[in-house]
Amino acid sequence: MRLVLVSNRLPNPAEQSGNEGGLLTAVRSALPDEPFLWIGWNGRTSDEDPSTPTRREHHGVSYVSFPLRHNDIERYYAGYANRVLWPLFHQSPARLCYRKEDEEGYLRVNEIFAHLTAPLLHPGDVLWVHDYHLIPLAKALRALGVRHPIGFFLHIPFPPHGALRVLPGHRRLLAGFLDYDLVGFQTADDEEAFRDAVRHEFAGGPAPPRTGVFPASIDPAECTRAAARGRRGTHGRRLLQSLTGRRLILGVDRLDYSKGLPERLRAYERLLETQPRWHRSIVFFQIAPLSRSEIPEYADLRAELDGIVGRILGRFADYDWLPIRYMTRGFRRDTVLGFLSLARVGLVTPLRDGMNLVAKEHVAAQPEEDPGVLVLSEFAGAAHELTGALVVNPYDPEGVAEALDRALAMPLEERRERHASNLRAIVSADARAWARAFLAELGGVPRQGSPPNPA
Ligand code: ADP
Ligand code: F6P
């Protein structure tokens, strides 16, 4: 069998840099050894018809990509996917901005994906579709006569039925899932919410698709190697030197409102207020590469963060100590991993997150003999697996400040125990196990070893 992956975005095979997000990290780390086909948008807009995709071979992977029209991207990507589905699925309904023409654009682009994918299929192919941009793709492919097995994996959370109902046309959206042979989720809560919604909306109707829980992951050995390279590289060395022995608290997130960045900064501010003993001996470094900047809610968030960072500096900085460093650019993967390896505290406090691979990367990057501590939101999928983390409620600034205080002061033995437990969790359920379990369940490949968490 040949695997055919379809996702909105494709990796840039030549360079791994910037704010690509967890989907590409997980899929890239899980690549099978056999050749496969990966289809997606090339990240560019054009006024030409996207009927002529470009094919490029790289390390056994055939990448087929195409531009989309400016208007289609506005409706499908910036409109429906990221101003409707993203806030809806992350349970932030106040940010939801539904427009009928965006939903139409979303369906139209899914049809474009289907029309470009169908002619490339061979008998025996197995399709694996990724994430919320492409929920109706199976329906569009089935309409073109495609009968291959098609699986779908949702990288982001699935909302409870009550929250889903906020969406005009939520039944239409849900119906899109029914044409898949298998729908995979990050956590048991997501799977249960989906099954509950299908039960309510389609009682006595068509059979629901098979579902399963497959927590997305990383390749821990690759992360460890990348961290070592990044630490030795120019940026790693410069960061270490600049710390002058101060303990580093590090956050690495796309600049996205689901990541809880204002709340995180306020919690850090609280720590500085209540625990002056840490003044001058810690530095909080937040890397927040710009993401989806054309969307107003993201521009608003950026302005809000600029304000909070300025306030913290104005209140607590000294002429020779800045309590916070904040950057909105992306780095090469090695560099990010190298930075994570230097962090005494990995601060990962999303308000809601499907998985959060940065949490796993922090664990994999840490030196085992003297590891740092992960402070992790209970609302990240990763909290189900990384039980060695200090788990916090990101809405509670006092609680997060206390966890930071505890993490900074934690004795070596406890740090080692917690880190070893987190590392075991990651090694036993890495990215390859994730993909293998999903594809085995889809029926494409024989099962090898035990899947991470089938439901
Ligand atoms: P999301 O998919 O919502 O962006 P994840 O935490 O699951 O969140 O995945 C983010 C991925 O993007 C991680 O692999 C992380 O290392 C990478 N990343 C985040 N920020 C940067 C950055 N500034 N430069 C390079 N890579 C980054
Ligand atoms: O992992 C979640 C995710 O939304 C991916 O689907 C997406 O590719 C990534 O984050 C980054 O977002 P974007 O593609 O909008 O830049």
Side-chain angles (χ1 to χ4, degrees):
M1 73 128 205
R2 182 183 63 157
L3 178 62
V4 178
L5 292 181
V6 193
S7 60
N8 172 55
R9 237 181 238 292
L10 287 181
N12 176 351
E15 201 193 334
Q16 298 187 6
S17 68
N19 56 358
E20 288 184 327
L23 187 161
L24 293 183
T25 297
V27 175
R28 230 204 290 257
S29 312
L31 300 183
D33 297 327
E34 304 78 39
F36 69 98
L37 183 62
W38 194 345
I39 302 170
W41 173 47
N42 67 9
R44 290 194 284 276
T45 53
S46 149
D47 288 327
E48 281 164 36
D49 199 321
S51 58
T52 43
T54 312
R55 197 179 181 118
R56 189 180 53 202
E57 309 290 325
H58 191 79
H59 293 316
V61 186
S62 300
Y63 295 93
V64 172
S65 65
F66 44 86
L68 288 168
R69 281 186 219 94
H70 181 71
N71 180 53
D72 284 340
I73 276 297
E74 268 195 359
R75 305 257 170 260
Y76 145 83
Y77 172 79
Y80 196 76
N82 285 317
R83 291 191 82 190
V84 175
L85 297 183
W86 184 269
L88 180 76
F89 282 31
H90 287 85
Q91 291 191 59
S92 184
R95 292 192 173 92
L96 192 147
C97 178
Y98 173 83
R99 286 185 297 220
K100 184 83 190 132
E101 60 270 31
D102 290 342
E103 186 185 350
E104 285 162 4
Y106 178 74
L107 294 171
R108 187 168 63 242
V109 170
N110 271 269
E111 276 167 21
I112 293 174
F113 267 79
H115 278 280
L116 293 174
T117 300
L120 301 173
L121 299 178
H122 299 162
D125 283 354
V126 169
L127 281 88
W128 189 4
V129 178
H130 288 263
D131 231 356
Y132 60 102
H133 315 88
L134 299 175
I135 293 168
L137 183 58
K139 193 169 283 304
L141 285 166
R142 300 292 186 217
L144 296 177
V146 171
R147 294 286 163 264
H148 299 68
I150 314 180
F152 177 85
F153 185 77
L154 186 68
H155 288 254
I156 65 175
F158 193 88
H161 181 234
L164 182 72
R165 287 177 52 215
V166 167
L167 172 68
H170 57 277
R171 217 164 170 273
R172 280 195 296 279
L173 179 77
L174 207 51
F177 285 97
L178 304 182
D179 282 280
Y180 288 99
D181 296 293
L182 174 67
V183 179
F185 297 93
Q186 300 274 24
T187 69
D189 290 348
D190 299 321
E191 183 194 38
E192 184 44 41
F194 172 78
R195 297 185 68 87
D196 183 51
V198 171
R199 258 195 310 272
H200 274 90
E201 297 290 342
F202 299 109
R210 274 184 297 139
T211 59
V213 179
F214 308 92
S217 197
I218 55 167
D219 174 345
E222 182 269 330
C223 286
T224 309
R225 286 193 300 273
R229 281 195 302 274
R231 217 177 151 118
R232 284 196 307 269
T234 317
H235 296 300
R237 282 188 281 121
R238 277 175 52 195
L239 176 61
L240 180 62
Q241 211 172 26
S242 73
L243 291 172
T244 57
R246 293 179 168 122
R247 288 176 197 178
L248 175 66
I249 302 170
L250 182 63
V252 180
D253 314 72
R254 282 180 306 102
L255 200 152
D256 191 298
Y257 52 81
S258 66
K259 303 294 182 182
L261 296 172
E263 292 79 1
R264 185 182 306 174
L265 292 176
R266 282 191 212 103
Y268 180 63
E269 190 173 16
R270 191 86 191 116
L271 175 79
L272 296 175
E273 277 165 12
T274 56
Q275 302 291 343
R277 68 188 173 116
W278 292 118
H279 288 194
R280 308 187 66 81
S281 60
I282 57 173
V283 172
F284 173 31
F285 180 18
Q286 177 64 51
I287 307 177
L290 299 180
S291 180
R292 308 175 192 164
S293 318
E294 66 280 23
I295 298 174
E297 290 75 19
Y298 288 76
D300 294 348
L301 174 66
R302 186 181 183 186
E304 185 183 0
L305 293 174
D306 287 350
I308 305 176
V309 171
R311 186 181 69 218
I312 294 176
L313 286 174
R315 284 186 70 189
F316 296 102
D318 210 337
Y319 60 86
D320 58 353
W321 171 60
L322 300 181
I324 187 162
R325 302 179 190 180
Y326 170 63
M327 294 178 68
T328 55
R329 58 174 267 208
F331 288 95
R332 282 175 50 89
R333 182 167 173 74
D334 288 7
T335 305
V336 174
L337 268 298
F339 286 177
L340 284 168
S341 78
L342 294 171
R344 169 56 74 88
V345 182
L347 188 52
V348 183
T349 55
L351 304 179
R352 191 72 54 183
D353 211 330
M355 176 52 58
N356 198 294
L357 295 183
V358 170
K360 294 185 173 181
E361 289 171 344
H362 176 261
V363 172
Q366 286 297 306
E368 282 184 59
E369 64 291 354
D370 185 15
V373 181
L374 179 65
V375 174
L376 179 60
S377 163
E378 62 181 290
F379 304 120
H384 293 256
E385 295 170 87
L386 304 181
T387 49
L390 293 182
V391 175
V392 294
N393 178 341
Y395 294 94
D396 173 14
E398 271 76 29
V400 176
E402 277 163 27
L404 279 172
D405 182 49
R406 191 171 156 204
L408 288 163
M410 191 178 283
L412 178 61
E413 200 181 329
E414 184 179 351
R415 281 191 276 125
R416 276 194 180 152
E417 274 168 23
R418 287 177 174 275
H419 176 257
S421 137
N422 284 338
L423 195 58
R424 272 196 303 277
I426 294 171
V427 169
S428 67
D430 66 3
R432 279 187 177 244
W434 165 69
R436 212 189 295 127
F438 183 91
L439 292 171
E441 194 67 31
L442 183 57
V445 289
R447 245 176 228 274
Q448 291 173 32
S450 48
N453 196 5

